[in-house]
Amino acid sequence: WPDLEPERSLQYDLALRRAGRLRTAFYAYRYRLTDLVERYRLGSDYFFRNRGRAVVRGLELEAQGDLIWGLSLEVGAQAAQGEAEDGSPLADVPPEGLTLTLRRPLGSRGDASLRGLWRARDADPGPTEKETPGYASLDLSGRWRFGRLEARLLLSNLLDQDYLQTPDEL
């Protein structure tokens, strides 16, 4: 697009990590964008334009720890917010989410895991997105190594819930 100015950002990132039996990490970020390049819709066509200034900020938390019987638990939580200088929401900013993963080794060659995912309702869709309801998903996976090869099995969406993979309006 010849009439677009390059998007610029000033980024501040903070990461705090703790190692040990209980491994934790905390992340915080704030991005100040100028000449934000945004996709927008006019009729049935999509175009790109510079929107001006925007801010994206968020927090993430991770924790991993060993439990009994060889089980380990991983927890991840995230929250982000993005808005243009006029206060309107930005596209591609995910709603709050939580992930829990329970993992167990299967001998020295494999492992199995159960992963639960929760996403909040996206009530502030960006300009080319639509409001999406919250949802929960449950996945079961297994992995086995054969020398230099690895076989994986993934059973996804065990709760058989309908949800949108993207908030894009199409």
Side-chain angles (χ1 to χ4, degrees):
W1 303 99
D3 57 341
L4 288 177
E5 294 295 322
E7 184 175 283
R8 293 183 175 87
S9 66
L10 178 60
Q11 299 176 252
Y12 299 97
D13 292 275
L14 172 69
L16 302 171
R17 295 185 185 104
R18 181 183 178 276
R21 188 163 177 239
L22 176 63
R23 299 162 300 280
T24 57
F26 171 78
Y27 306 97
Y29 57 89
R30 179 181 172 87
Y31 302 160
R32 291 177 43 201
L33 303 153
T34 55
D35 294 321
L36 173 70
V37 175
E38 168 184 80
R39 182 176 75 136
Y40 70 99
R41 186 173 180 183
L42 191 59
S44 61
D45 296 321
Y46 287 92
F47 301 95
F48 293 91
R49 65 180 170 206
N50 287 109
R51 183 159 181 193
R53 297 175 191 262
V55 174
V56 178
R57 58 188 161 268
L59 302 171
E60 297 179 19
L61 176 66
E62 296 175 356
Q64 302 165 338
D66 298 327
L67 304 174
I68 57 175
W69 304 309
L71 292 169
S72 65
L73 178 66
E74 300 172 12
V75 178
Q78 59 89 20
Q81 182 183 25
E83 59 185 40
E85 61 189 340
D86 64 3
S88 60
L90 300 178
D92 301 320
V93 177
E96 293 81 14
L98 176 67
T99 305
L100 299 171
T101 304
L102 191 61
R103 189 178 316 277
R104 185 171 196 295
L106 300 173
S108 62
R109 294 181 157 194
D111 61 51
S113 63
L114 181 66
R115 176 180 159 251
L117 168 71
W118 169 80
R119 287 281 181 250
R121 179 175 144 252
D122 187 358
D124 291 322
T128 56
E129 299 174 329
K130 61 182 173 181
E131 188 172 320
T132 55
Y135 67 93
S137 179
L138 189 64
D139 303 333
L140 179 64
S141 65
R143 175 174 68 156
W144 193 262
R145 289 179 292 285
F146 302 93
R148 298 175 78 179
L149 297 176
E150 181 176 278
R152 293 182 183 211
L153 174 66
L154 173 63
L155 302 173
S156 185
N157 194 14
L158 295 175
L159 301 175
D160 195 26
Q161 297 293 310
D162 292 332
Y163 58 89
L164 298 172
Q165 287 287 351
T166 175
D168 193 272
E169 62 189 358
L170 293 180

